[in-house]
Amino acid sequence: MRGADPRVVLGLHRSRHERRLLTGALNAGVTSLDTAFNYLGFRSHRVLARIAGDLLPKFVVSTKVGYFPGPNGPTHSLNPVRLLAAVEQTARDLGREPDLMFLHNPEHSLREAGPPSRDMLTAACAAMTEAVKKGLCGAWGVATWDPCPLLGLIDTTVPRPAVLMVRAGLLVGGRTLDAADMLTATWGPDDGEVWGMSPFGGSTRAPLWKTFDPRVFLREGGGLSRVQAVFRLAYALPSADAVAVGTDEPAHLEELVGALAVEADESAVDGYRCLLRERLRGQPD
């Protein structure tokens, strides 16, 4: 719940599905695992059950539905029947019901839907609620890469998710950060959670991390590496209870866990957000 100690979630988007990574995560104290119906060529759930079925009960497992295999590559759908069928298949493939099921990037379909988009979102969320009622998952949430298209669609008729997952970190633009805050204020339940994802913008080797020292945004962060500092700041941009991060090396995961001992400097982060907003005001519509 909000205000609890920050948590690390092992994300499998770019991570190899290897048993040693899961055992390394547990040894580092990481007991949350996040994947998706479409990861690893739509094989993630089956592979996890095969290589680490005995380990999965030790994790809080979250996954996502929304993308489906198509003749020309993955397609996206908010069709309630397809979503429920994917949730049912997920439980079968994993060999257990996931603790948390995200509706995956609903904006992908909503951008092209036109006026019926609110009805589409409401029906998709109702399907996720139904999945929880049927015992197919413990709770449901929404994972959105771009929350902006969702803001005008949320009203009292749209079911509320238990968790929102949004992009987080220093590489997220000001417009997306503000939209994530607005979505949380509008749609996030008081006792729910916000998760961050993609804290490094895809790579810890980006040139920016060599030319800019993110430790200036931390309290007593001099003992951390720049990579650790970038990761720790993802919990403040925007405010998040947990951050999902991918890696193939258990040692890297353990390093990131160590970053949680340091706190962000709230005044420095607020100043950074103000700079982002000023930059937005200076841009043409």
Side-chain angles (χ1 to χ4, degrees), residues 122-153:
T122 300
C125 292
M128 303 299 285
T129 302
E130 182 67 16
V132 176
K133 290 180 180 178
K134 289 184 174 182
L136 298 173
C137 54
W140 72 276
V142 171
T144 170
W145 190 255
D146 180 9
C148 295
L150 301 178
L151 292 177
L153 304 178

Side-chain angles (χ1 to χ4, degrees), residues 52-114:
D54 59 318
L55 297 180
L56 291 183
K58 300 178 181 180
F59 286 95
V60 174
V61 177
S62 60
T63 187
K64 314 176 193 73
V65 289
Y67 291 96
F68 300 88
N72 300 312
T75 62
H76 193 273
S77 176
L78 293 179
N79 180 287
V81 175
R82 296 190 76 182
L83 292 173
L84 270 175
V87 176
E88 291 173 349
Q89 182 180 336
T90 294
R92 289 195 302 271
D93 289 349
L94 278 174
R96 56 162 289 186
E97 292 77 19
D99 299 283
L100 176 61
M101 179 68 73
F102 286 105
L103 181 62
H104 200 178
N105 293 344
E107 69 275 9
H108 189 133
S109 288
L110 296 173
R111 285 194 185 97
E112 302 173 0

Side-chain angles (χ1 to χ4, degrees), residues 6 39 88 101 200 225 231 242 247:
Y39 288 178
E88 291 173 349
M101 179 68 73
F200 299 106
S225 69
F231 181 69
T247 183

Side-chain angles (χ1 to χ4, degrees), residues 31-274:
T31 57
S32 294
L33 179 67
D34 181 68
T35 186
F37 190 74
N38 60 306
Y39 288 178
L40 202 67
F42 294 91
R43 296 183 299 114
S44 177
H45 297 147
R46 295 193 300 275
V47 170
L48 283 173
R50 187 181 76 245
I51 68 168
D54 59 318
L55 297 180
L56 291 183
K58 300 178 181 180
F59 286 95
V60 174
V61 177
S62 60
T63 187
K64 314 176 193 73
V65 289
Y67 291 96
F68 300 88
N72 300 312
T75 62
H76 193 273
S77 176
L78 293 179
N79 180 287
V81 175
R82 296 190 76 182
L83 292 173
L84 270 175
V87 176
E88 291 173 349
Q89 182 180 336
T90 294
R92 289 195 302 271
D93 289 349
L94 278 174
R96 56 162 289 186
E97 292 77 19
D99 299 283
L100 176 61
M101 179 68 73
F102 286 105
L103 181 62
H104 200 178
N105 293 344
E107 69 275 9
H108 189 133
S109 288
L110 296 173
R111 285 194 185 97
E112 302 173 0
S117 55
R118 177 180 280 112
D119 293 339
M120 288 178 59
L121 180 62
T122 300
C125 292
M128 303 299 285
T129 302
E130 182 67 16
V132 176
K133 290 180 180 178
K134 289 184 174 182
L136 298 173
C137 54
W140 72 276
V142 171
T144 170
W145 190 255
D146 180 9
C148 295
L150 301 178
L151 292 177
L153 304 178
I154 307 304
D155 61 19
T156 56
T157 66
V158 182
R160 237 174 235 276
V163 181
L164 292 174
M165 180 189 281
V166 295
R167 275 187 292 161
L170 285 163
L171 292 185
V172 181
R175 183 174 286 108
T176 301
L177 285 173
D178 286 345
D181 285 341
M182 293 174 64
L183 189 67
T184 299
T186 303
W187 208 18
D190 293 337
D191 60 348
E193 292 188 337
V194 175
W195 290 15
M197 59 179 163
S198 193
F200 299 106
S203 175
T204 59
R205 297 181 176 86
L208 175 63
W209 309 137
K210 296 180 181 179
T211 59
F212 164 73
D213 192 342
R215 289 171 290 197
V216 298
F217 292 107
L218 298 176
R219 296 177 182 171
E220 301 179 355
L224 299 185
S225 69
R226 295 190 181 194
V227 167
Q228 285 178 305
V230 171
F231 181 69
R232 187 63 183 89
L233 284 167
Y235 291 82
L237 294 165
S239 178
D241 304 276
V243 172
V245 61
T247 183
D248 289 327
E249 296 300 330
H252 177 53
L253 196 61
E254 190 170 355
E255 177 188 17
L256 298 181
V257 171
L260 301 185
V262 175
E263 295 184 358
D265 185 328
E266 294 181 4
S267 62
V269 172
D270 288 345
Y272 175 72
R273 293 290 299 269
C274 287

